[in-house]
Amino acid sequence: AEYMGRTFVHNRPKTTTTTMWRRAVRTMCKATTGSNFSAKLSGTNPVPIDVLSGARNYFEQMVFARLNFPESDVIKWPHFSITSAIFKAKDNRLECDEKEGRIKFRMLDGTIKNYDATTKFTPDILASFRTISENETAVTLGHLFKEIRVADHVLQGDESWADEPLSGHSIMFEITEPAGSISLKLEQLDRSLFFLRYSHPEFYKNLRVVGILCNGTRSEFDRAVDSLQLRRNTQQDFLPELQRSCIPCVLIWTPFRNVFQE
């Protein structure tokens, strides 16, 4: 299959795919790295958004292949890191030992996750968009997802989310195959929002939308949505960081299609 002038073979060994990914990161185009994006992650190098070999499975490859990213206007961040600002945060979900550089974070199910100053979080899609001039047409969320958005549900925010321009803004999405894993991915998203708010406030405040892209059947997606909506309406502590942020959150159903056969 060919995409963006690059040929990908679905049955290549895993080691070859990994090598391609590392080589692509090392050979990033200077034009992308040097672009004037308004929201950057300090200490993190961007990677080309069109590198399909970075996806972990065929479903993720399909998602990346069908995203309508404007090549010259977007950069993808492979991860974001915890910064020293987190040690000054005051939050009941957080326990920090600045002297030892250790961080304890309480997940929504009560489990404690241990992190340190070298921890990196890797959302599946973390991207920034260039601020365009007045005579340019801004890319909208609807345009970005038009090839993969079969059905969607707005968990938080306005129903007109697809009309929002992305100029000067950022997005963060998780990708999951089973619709039953949406809840788990939302908890990961909630955690990422928490650490972005304290460690990278400039990037955080430019987030236009966050969400989940999922596979599975339509009935599975609908059942997951109904369950999540019920929890959101009845649980006071449901995704507290997401609710605090007021950032629009959308769940998008995009059934698997084999890009290698098209």
Side-chain angles (χ1 to χ4, degrees), residues 86-134:
I86 197 69
F87 294 107
K88 297 178 175 60
K90 304 295 182 182
D91 194 283
N92 59 12
R93 298 176 68 186
L94 194 68
E95 183 180 325
C96 297
D97 184 334
E98 186 171 7
K99 184 177 180 180
E100 297 292 331
R102 295 173 182 170
I103 302 158
K104 292 184 177 180
F105 180 74
R106 181 173 55 82
M107 298 293 286
L108 298 180
D109 62 0
T111 59
I112 301 298
K113 297 288 187 180
N114 294 299
Y115 305 120
D116 58 39
T118 65
T119 299
K120 294 178 173 61
F121 295 99
T122 56
D124 293 321
I125 299 176
L126 188 64
S128 303
F129 294 80
R130 178 177 64 88
T131 301
I132 65 169
S133 60
E134 293 182 0

Side-chain angles (χ1 to χ4, degrees), residues 173-174 176 182 185-186 189 210-214 250-252:
F173 276 79
E174 294 287 356
T176 181
I182 292 178
K185 284 292 187 177
L186 280 171
L189 202 66
V210 299
I212 309 294
L213 297 160
C214 80
V250 61
L251 312 176
I252 299 177

Side-chain angles (χ1 to χ4, degrees), residues 9 25 28 48 52 55 108 131 145 153 180 186-187 191 201 233-234:
V9 181
V25 172
M28 291 181 297
L52 293 188
L108 298 180
T131 301
F145 293 116
H153 174 78
L186 280 171
E187 289 191 23
R191 178 188 58 186
N233 294 338
T234 57

Side-chain angles (χ1 to χ4, degrees), residues 58-66 148 254-257 259:
Y58 294 157
F59 178 61
E60 288 191 15
Q61 290 180 4
M62 183 275 290
V63 169
F64 280 109
R66 291 178 175 272
I148 59 175
T254 173
F256 177 86
R257 286 162 289 189
V259 296

Side-chain angles (χ1 to χ4, degrees), residues 27-239:
T27 57
M28 291 181 297
C29 62
K30 294 181 180 179
T32 302
T33 307
S35 298
N36 183 26
F37 290 95
S38 62
K40 291 190 176 183
L41 295 177
S42 59
T44 304
N45 292 322
V47 297
I49 196 68
D50 62 326
V51 180
L52 293 188
S53 53
R56 287 185 287 269
N57 55 49
Y58 294 157
F59 178 61
E60 288 191 15
Q61 290 180 4
M62 183 275 290
V63 169
F64 280 109
R66 291 178 175 272
L67 284 172
N68 290 304
F69 276 110
E71 187 178 4
S72 62
D73 292 347
V74 64
I75 50 177
K76 179 179 182 291
W77 305 100
H79 60 258
F80 70 89
S81 303
I82 292 176
T83 69
S84 58
I86 197 69
F87 294 107
K88 297 178 175 60
K90 304 295 182 182
D91 194 283
N92 59 12
R93 298 176 68 186
L94 194 68
E95 183 180 325
C96 297
D97 184 334
E98 186 171 7
K99 184 177 180 180
E100 297 292 331
R102 295 173 182 170
I103 302 158
K104 292 184 177 180
F105 180 74
R106 181 173 55 82
M107 298 293 286
L108 298 180
D109 62 0
T111 59
I112 301 298
K113 297 288 187 180
N114 294 299
Y115 305 120
D116 58 39
T118 65
T119 299
K120 294 178 173 61
F121 295 99
T122 56
D124 293 321
I125 299 176
L126 188 64
S128 303
F129 294 80
R130 178 177 64 88
T131 301
I132 65 169
S133 60
E134 293 182 0
N135 60 347
E136 294 179 282
T137 302
V139 174
T140 64
L141 286 161
H143 174 78
L144 185 66
F145 293 116
K146 71 177 182 179
E147 296 294 331
I148 59 175
R149 176 187 167 205
V150 178
D152 64 77
H153 174 78
V154 178
L155 191 64
Q156 176 170 288
D158 199 293
E159 292 290 338
S160 62
W161 66 273
D163 299 326
E164 293 291 336
L166 290 170
S167 172
H169 291 279
S170 305
I171 63 171
M172 180 168 63
F173 276 79
E174 294 287 356
I175 302 172
T176 181
E177 287 219 59
S181 296
I182 292 178
S183 179
L184 178 61
K185 284 292 187 177
L186 280 171
E187 289 191 23
Q188 293 178 11
L189 202 66
D190 191 78
R191 178 188 58 186
S192 292
L193 284 172
F194 180 93
F195 283 100
L196 272 175
R197 175 161 65 95
Y198 286 111
S199 293
H200 304 280
E202 288 299 314
F203 189 95
Y204 173 86
K205 75 178 184 180
N206 280 299
L207 278 168
R208 174 66 83 184
V209 68
V210 299
I212 309 294
L213 297 160
C214 80
N215 194 9
T217 66
R218 178 61 188 270
S219 60
E220 290 172 337
F221 175 74
D222 290 341
R223 285 197 299 271
V225 164
D226 290 342
S227 175
L228 287 166
Q229 197 60 56
L230 178 63
R231 288 178 60 192
R232 188 177 189 277
N233 294 338
T234 57
Q235 289 183 220
Q236 189 174 7
D237 61 345
F238 178 65
L239 302 175

